[in-house]
Structures are given as structure tokens and as C-alpha cells.
Amino acid sequence: VPLSAVGRAGRLRYGRAAVHPDGAGIATMVDESSEPSDHDKAILACTTRTSRLGTYAIIGGQHLFNYLSRFAIPYIVPHLVAEFGFSDAQRSAILNSFTPGYILTQIPAAPLCGKIGAKTVLSLNNIGLLSSLISLPIAAKQGARAVWFCIALMGIMQGPFIVAQGAMTSAWSIAGPERPLAVFIIRLGGNIAKLVASAVTPLLCSTRWGWRSVCYVYGGVLALYSVTWNLFARNSPPPLPPSDSFTDLKPDETSTEDGNSDGDQPKPK
């Protein structure tokens, strides 16, 4: 098939052939998939591409704030040590307090998502992160143990995050070229968090309010995001009405050619 005949159609799925241009300028037709699954049919029937992309973006916000709060800790701790005179042992304990809870709470994450929903799990995650960030300046005045507890709480609340966002992604994404796009949009939040943590956090620490400004600024933005999350995030696409099911409609097997049921005798001519 000449490329001029197919234009810029690219790769097509769901019953249509895929176009792969070769070096000679001729496209070969490869049948990649015949029919979408019932899961994909249901998503396509009750959502638009814009609504799905918006959902991927709001899930990506979870990546942004989870990784941003985590990556900001190593920039904050040296300022805590210098201001409150924590020992090297206390400094090491604070830096390592995030990991144990983060690992342990990943174990019950899957059954928890199945019981209360991935959105609820991620909402609790937002509450835990916000509480940890806002209470950290207060905890620092109480000593190293209180700081250790705040960061440990952050790790506990972030543990189910990966499992929960994976469950929501699976519920919303469809097979084909859109799935890699969904993964890219969602993981972009984590990449942005790395850049922001390395560039913005040191600047905030050097302001008049010092390391406390990191907690207040990131916490304030997280609070605004949490409101958006609770308003627009959904565990899965809305269900279809019963009339829109994808079961094939079969003709009434009891009807005859004359339009009568088996219980009625045909009229004599």
C-alpha cells in the first residue's frame, strides 16, 4: 500500500490494520488486534479522551507530591541539626525513619484498595503527607524523637501509594497507544518532583523563614491539590446504564416467520 494512500494514519488498532513504513517507502499492513476487550469498550463508551487524560494528570499529581515531600527531607534535616543541635546518631535515625513504614504498609495496600477504594487510600495518603509537613516545625521544638515520628508517619502514609495509583490507572487506561501515554503523564509528576526538590527546596531554605518555609509552601500547595483530588478523582469510570451493555442482542427465538410465537397457530390462508 503506498504511503500516499494511507497518509499520516500511523498505527491503527481495533480491527484496523497497522501501518509500518519500511525503507522503500511502502507500508506493510499488519493486523495487530481484532476487537477491544469488554473493559476497554466500557471505558470508551462512558468517557472521553479528555476526561481520561485529565484523570491521568490528577493521578500524576499524587506522584508529584509524594516524591516532592520525600525528596525535600534530605535538604531540611541539615538545617534541623544545625538549629537544634541534634547528634550524628539522631541525624541518621531521622534520615532512616521514612523507610520502615514505607515498606511495611505496602503489604496490606492491595486488599485495602479493594475494600475502601484506591481514591480513599490516596486521600488518606494526602492527609498523612499534609499532617507531616505542617506538624514538622512544631515537632522540631519537641526534640529529635518527635521529628523522627513525623517523618516515619510520612513513610507509613506513602507506602500504599504505588499500589493505589496503579489500581486507578488500570481502571481508567485502555489498551493501545493511549496506555504508554497514560504511564508517561502519571510518571511525569515524579520527574517534576525531583527537579523542584533539587532547585526550589534550597531556595526556600535560604529565605527569611528558613526550612520552615518548605513545610508551609509545599503543605499549602498540597492542600489545594487535595481539594481538587477529592472533587474530581474517581476510582473508575462511571458505570454504563443497563441498556448500554455490550452483550449481543439476539432475536427472539420463539418467533416464526409469520410474526407469531410458537404458542399461536398460523392463520389459514
Side-chain angles (χ1 to χ4, degrees):
V1 181
L3 284 178
S4 59
V6 296
R8 300 181 180 273
R11 298 182 56 160
L12 306 177
R13 287 181 179 269
Y14 296 149
R16 291 184 260 177
V19 181
H20 300 277
D22 60 16
I26 303 298
T28 58
M29 307 299 289
V30 181
D31 188 11
E32 291 197 336
S33 60
S34 55
E35 281 293 325
S37 64
D38 289 343
H39 170 76
D40 290 352
K41 285 181 179 180
I43 296 176
L44 291 170
C46 61
T47 64
T48 63
R49 180 178 174 84
T50 301
S51 65
R52 294 194 301 273
L53 294 179
T55 300
Y56 305 149
I58 202 171
I59 297 175
Q62 292 285 343
H63 275 257
L64 173 63
F65 288 104
N66 275 270
Y67 287 113
L68 182 60
S69 58
R70 185 191 311 180
F71 295 148
I73 297 302
Y75 294 96
I76 295 176
V77 170
H79 295 275
L80 288 170
V81 172
E83 181 175 342
F84 297 99
F86 296 154
S87 65
D88 291 341
Q90 290 173 326
R91 176 179 177 275
S92 298
I94 290 172
L95 289 173
N96 293 322
S97 61
F98 178 91
T99 306
Y102 179 77
I103 295 175
L104 291 176
T105 51
Q106 291 184 22
I107 299 173
L112 191 62
C113 289
K115 187 173 182 179
I116 65 176
K119 177 185 175 180
T120 304
V121 172
L122 292 172
S123 297
L124 294 174
N125 171 40
N126 292 339
I127 294 173
L129 290 180
L130 184 59
S131 301
S132 299
L133 288 172
I134 298 301
S135 61
L136 186 58
I138 301 173
K141 297 179 181 179
Q142 307 302 318
R145 289 185 180 181
V147 175
W148 183 95
F149 178 81
C150 276
I151 300 178
L153 176 63
M154 186 183 296
I156 290 171
M157 300 306 296
Q158 282 196 24
F161 150 68
I162 293 295
V163 178
Q165 66 86 26
M168 284 193 67
T169 303
S170 298
W172 279 89
S173 62
I174 60 175
E178 187 173 307
R179 182 159 293 171
L181 177 62
V183 174
F184 169 77
I185 293 174
I186 292 171
R187 293 186 177 178
L188 183 62
N191 294 328
I192 294 174
K194 295 177 183 178
L195 296 176
V196 173
S198 60
V200 177
T201 306
L203 293 177
L204 292 175
C205 290
S206 62
T207 61
R208 176 183 176 183
W209 297 276
W211 61 270
R212 293 171 179 82
S213 63
V214 177
C215 302
Y216 298 143
V217 171
Y218 291 171
V221 179
L222 174 58
L224 295 176
Y225 167 77
S226 298
V227 174
T228 305
W229 170 264
N230 290 325
L231 289 176
F232 298 105
R234 298 289 183 271
N235 283 313
S236 59
L240 286 172
S243 60
D244 292 335
S245 62
F246 291 104
T247 56
D248 294 329
L249 299 177
K250 296 182 180 180
D252 186 3
E253 296 178 353
T254 62
S255 63
T256 63
E257 294 181 358
D258 294 329
N260 301 311
S261 62
D262 290 343
D264 298 333
Q265 298 295 328
K267 295 181 181 180
K269 297 182 179 179

